[in-house]
Amino acid sequence: MCGPVSDEEYLRREIDEVERTAARRIDPGTGALTISIAVLALLVSLVLPWIGDHTGLQVVLGESTTFLPRLFAFLALGVGVVGSGLTLAVRRWALAWVCSLGLFAGAVTGVLSIWTQQTTTSNKTIGPGPGIGLTIAVIAVVFLLVKWLRIAASRPPQL
């Protein structure tokens, strides 16, 4: 029933396989450099104050009991740093979408983290206020969100 495969049929199968593989990959181009710079800014923000005198590392390690900044720190490190590095390494389209969605959650959580540190009740401040490190981290996460969303949405439609 299945005779020998002709050279043309073998070549067609090989071309189809290469096409399927290429469709699953992304090419960030010069965006890879800007993503790397944003990841570096995110890492540098960890040594700067986030909440009062607590640095980003102290927030990650649990020395600050505030929930939202800690959740934001985990999302920023997990998706922003590890996820971006992994996606740049393997260049898979699906991972670009995972980074986009995770960074969206991180951006919302980061903005809420800043907001909760600034919220007042009866003209008395609740928290010590957001530090420069938290602000830089939120800006870096929003920047990464925009870059990964552009890369993920740039996939040409499948015919």
Side-chain angles (χ1 to χ4, degrees):
M1 293 188 199
C2 286
V5 178
S6 68
D7 289 341
E8 293 85 21
E9 189 176 335
Y10 177 76
L11 184 60
R12 183 77 238 157
R13 286 181 187 170
E14 191 173 337
I15 289 172
D16 288 343
E17 181 61 33
V18 168
E19 182 181 2
R20 281 190 294 275
T21 303
R24 292 189 303 251
R25 296 182 61 82
I26 58 168
D27 182 20
T30 58
L33 178 64
T34 55
I35 288 171
S36 299
I37 292 171
V39 168
L40 179 64
L42 195 54
L43 290 173
V44 167
S45 75
L46 289 174
V47 297
L48 298 172
W50 275 32
I51 301 170
D53 292 333
H54 293 285
T55 65
L57 287 174
Q58 291 171 328
V59 171
V60 170
L61 296 175
E63 294 179 23
S64 173
T65 58
T66 310
F67 174 72
L68 278 175
R70 189 160 186 220
L71 177 62
F72 169 69
F74 284 123
L75 285 170
L77 286 176
V79 180
V81 176
V82 176
S84 292
L86 182 65
T87 305
L88 283 177
V90 298
R91 297 178 185 256
R92 292 290 181 192
W93 179 76
L95 282 177
W97 275 112
V98 169
C99 279
S100 297
L101 294 174
L103 288 167
F104 176 76
V108 170
T109 307
V111 170
L112 285 174
S113 297
I114 291 175
W115 179 68
T116 58
Q117 295 303 308
Q118 294 175 337
T119 304
T120 61
T121 306
S122 302
N123 296 328
K124 296 178 184 174
T125 59
I126 291 178
I132 188 71
L134 181 60
T135 306
I136 290 171
V138 170
I139 291 169
V141 165
V142 169
F143 181 79
L144 284 170
L145 167 63
V146 170
K147 292 302 281 185
W148 280 122
L149 199 54
R150 281 186 181 167
I151 290 170
S154 70
R155 181 180 184 191
Q158 298 298 314
L159 299 175

